Amino acid sequence: MEAWEKELVARAQQGDRKAFTRLVIEHQNRVYSYLYRMLGNAYEAEEVAQEVFIAAFRFIAGFRGEGSLCTWLLRIASNMYKNRIRYNVRRKRSMESCIDDKVEQPDYRPIGERPENPEALLATQQMENALHEAISRLPEDFREVLVLRDIELLSYEQIQELTGLAEGTVKSRIHRARSQLARLMSGHLDGEELV
Amino acid sequence: MARDGEFTGPEEDIFLAALDGELNEDEQGRFERNLAEDAGFRERFERYRQTVELIRRLGPRPAPESLLPSVQRRITRRAVDSAGPVLRFPYELLVFVVILGSLFYIYFGMLPPAPTEVSKRAVPATVELELTSPLPAEIVARFELTDPGDSAGGARQYYGRMSRDRAAELFSAVTPFLKDKSPPTLPAANRLGILLTAPLP
């Protein structure tokens, strides 16, 4: 954790709401993105992300700074996500129905990063939708480590800290998740030029 | 090795290490030879690499702009709520005071009035005196004394209830008949009971 973040955490622990807001600004994308990929639903992801930060505000006094704040927040997000899944199961809501809104999701990427050609934009959007759906079909254990490693770009150590899994298990799950995803995406990968 | 399109065994370590850039020089050499010589290996790795690249290109999804204001609103509301117990009306204290007050009222409000307020109906203090002889009928009638006649103890008793002033007047009238010849000190009560006992002749 960098010095500026440590200072913000210390101030937030004293009840400084402005400092906590700065921390939210700093980490909201990562927390939201993780939840969006895990839940497959923008609305639910935002709702749970709110809960994560409210919980973080409540319990930040107990954050000892042994790990990174990001990992701590993602661990809260992981727990909240699992609670939400249990809640959804109780309400008999299938996760398949939750990904229905993905096509309507706006493209949040900066304009410069989007393809300018409408056909290319459409193709990219279709590919992203297919990938998003394929990720949502992975078993939960595999999906979590894949999202943390390949989307959130966390190190193996951070993933171990967050999940409490051994390094070998983390690597094995990542590999198996990628392999399953490759199989699910085989139709889309054929002839796809990615380089 | 590949099984049903899924990589297992050593290939898992090689693919992970190759993409993470963690192969040492020897391993990198063997890996590149494999890629060049084994078409199946090359195809599997290429698909694996493409998949990872595709996921990474997907990238983190920025949070919607509404997230931060929502969190700020909820934190502010939470701060106000948590300050609530200090600011809100102390209903528990009010209930406690009302119960305590009721108990005080029941306990003290139902006691008889203080002894300084002697009512006319209060039981009078009784003054007992001994006479040397029975009283004349005129005195008995004047002070409305009851004259029960001869008592079982062989004495005659007169009883009357009257004010303190009237009692003083009675004692003046009966002084000649008193055994010790001196009028008694009257008690502080406003109404007195007078019991006069005389031996039978």
Side-chain angles (χ1 to χ4, degrees):
Chain A
M1 202 159 55
E2 293 179 34
W4 62 267
E5 194 173 54
K6 273 187 183 168
E7 191 193 327
L8 286 176
V9 168
R11 281 169 49 196
Q13 286 176 327
Q14 301 298 318
D16 184 339
R17 275 185 271 164
K18 281 184 183 170
F20 186 77
T21 299
R22 288 274 311 279
L23 293 172
V24 175
I25 292 168
E26 192 62 32
H27 294 284
Q28 62 175 346
N29 286 349
R30 181 159 265 177
V31 168
Y32 172 79
S33 176
Y34 165 78
L35 289 167
Y36 175 72
R37 298 299 174 197
M38 293 304 290
L39 287 161
N41 178 291
Y43 176 77
E44 275 198 309
E46 185 177 353
E47 216 175 49
V48 178
Q50 280 184 34
E51 299 297 332
V52 169
F53 286 114
I54 299 302
F57 182 71
R58 276 183 69 193
F59 298 114
I60 196 160
F63 174 66
R64 292 192 295 269
E66 288 163 356
S68 74
L69 183 68
C70 170
T71 311
W72 185 69
L73 288 170
L74 285 174
R75 193 181 305 128
I76 296 174
S78 174
N79 290 335
M80 294 253 176
Y81 150 73
K82 284 166 188 163
N83 288 343
R84 175 56 69 110
I85 292 295
R86 280 194 286 270
Y87 171 76
N88 285 343
V89 168
R90 278 202 303 274
R91 291 188 62 192
K92 311 264 184 208
R93 274 172 56 178
S94 73
M95 289 310 294
E96 278 79 5
S97 69
C98 293
I99 62 170
D100 287 347
D101 65 346
K102 65 190 178 300
V103 178
E104 287 77 34
Q105 296 307 311
D107 189 345
Y108 288 108
R109 285 178 300 174
I111 299 294
E113 291 180 20
R114 299 183 197 175
E116 288 179 4
N117 180 345
E119 285 178 9
L121 180 64
L122 182 64
T124 303
Q125 193 67 52
Q126 284 175 342
M127 176 65 84
E128 284 186 7
N129 289 343
L131 189 58
H132 183 75
E133 188 170 347
I135 289 171
S136 73
R137 285 184 181 176
L138 291 175
E140 190 185 312
D141 291 345
F142 290 5
R143 185 163 71 244
E144 182 170 37
V145 289
L146 181 90
V147 167
L148 292 172
R149 178 65 183 162
D150 288 335
I151 297 180
E152 302 304 326
L153 303 178
L154 261 57
S155 67
Y156 292 122
E157 290 75 19
Q158 285 176 307
I159 298 172
Q160 281 176 253
E161 188 189 330
L162 201 155
T163 59
L165 297 170
E167 185 182 356
T169 311
V170 169
K171 285 186 172 179
S172 171
R173 284 187 183 179
I174 289 170
H175 178 77
R176 290 167 73 86
R178 286 170 177 172
S179 302
Q180 285 194 23
L181 204 61
R183 199 171 49 188
L184 288 167
M185 292 294 292
S186 58
H188 294 272
L189 286 174
D190 290 338
E192 177 70 16
E193 186 53 55
L194 292 165
V195 182
Chain B
M1 290 295 119
R3 188 183 63 204
D4 195 22
E6 188 178 322
F7 304 111
T8 56
E11 214 167 63
E12 170 182 326
D13 299 334
I14 294 167
F15 284 7
L16 276 173
L19 287 183
D20 291 337
E22 288 177 353
L23 292 175
N24 62 33
E25 205 171 322
D26 286 348
E27 289 168 336
Q28 186 67 31
R30 278 205 303 276
F31 174 69
E32 285 173 5
R33 271 199 304 279
N34 263 359
L35 282 180
E37 293 167 5
D38 186 340
F41 181 84
R42 187 167 58 246
E43 189 189 335
R44 288 193 298 278
F45 178 71
E46 190 54 27
R47 190 176 293 276
Y48 188 86
R49 187 192 64 75
Q50 281 184 348
T51 305
V52 174
E53 195 167 327
L54 194 62
I55 305 166
R56 290 189 174 176
R57 208 172 63 173
L58 198 61
R61 193 175 178 91
E65 288 177 1
S66 55
L67 177 60
L68 181 64
S70 302
V71 171
Q72 284 177 310
R73 259 198 312 276
R74 291 184 61 181
I75 285 174
T76 305
R77 201 165 58 215
R78 184 177 175 78
V80 170
D81 288 348
S82 65
V86 178
L87 298 174
R88 75 182 181 84
F89 190 79
Y91 292 104
E92 294 84 355
L93 184 63
L94 178 67
V95 168
F96 177 73
V97 167
V98 166
I99 291 172
L100 200 64
S102 304
L103 289 174
F104 266 93
Y105 177 76
I106 291 167
Y107 186 74
F108 294 110
M110 303 219 170
L111 282 179
T116 51
E117 297 175 2
V118 179
S119 76
K120 290 186 176 179
R121 287 176 300 177
V123 176
T126 301
V127 178
E128 291 185 33
L129 294 171
E130 284 189 20
L131 304 174
T132 52
S133 61
L135 290 174
E138 179 267 327
I139 292 178
V140 173
R142 186 175 142 202
F143 291 97
E144 297 174 340
L145 298 175
T146 57
D147 181 4
D150 296 350
S151 70
R156 188 161 193 161
Q157 286 188 318
Y158 306 93
Y159 182 73
R161 289 171 63 183
M162 60 199 72
S163 68
R164 202 164 180 275
D165 292 343
R166 184 96 168 130
E169 201 179 324
L170 169 67
F171 290 149
S172 297
V174 300
T175 299
F177 304 95
L178 290 177
K179 198 172 182 178
D180 55 7
K181 303 296 181 191
S182 60
T185 305
L186 294 176
N190 288 335
R191 279 182 75 78
L192 300 169
I194 309 295
L195 180 65
L196 303 169
T197 308
L200 288 173

